[in-house]
Amino acid sequence: MSRLIGFILFWTGVGMIIKCILPTRLSIVLVAVLCIIVGYNLFCRC
């Protein structure tokens, strides 16, 4: 189950980064990076 949550969080973060090509606030970027890090750790933990 944690792999699924990690996968979802990772791709949510990637989508937020892609959206950040447009002008945004720094908080959005920080949340996106946090989602990618947490998602990666949950997905890749064996």
Side-chain angles (χ1 to χ4, degrees), residues 1-43:
M1 186 64 171
S2 68
R3 284 179 57 100
L4 179 64
I5 294 171
F7 187 75
I8 292 168
L9 281 174
F10 180 81
W11 286 110
T12 300
V14 170
M16 291 173 75
I17 290 287
I18 291 171
K19 188 202 174 296
C20 286
I21 293 171
L22 303 172
T24 58
R25 296 190 179 131
L26 180 61
S27 61
I28 300 287
V29 175
L30 293 178
V31 169
V33 171
L34 181 66
C35 283
I36 290 173
I37 291 171
V38 171
Y40 179 79
N41 286 328
L42 286 174
F43 186 74

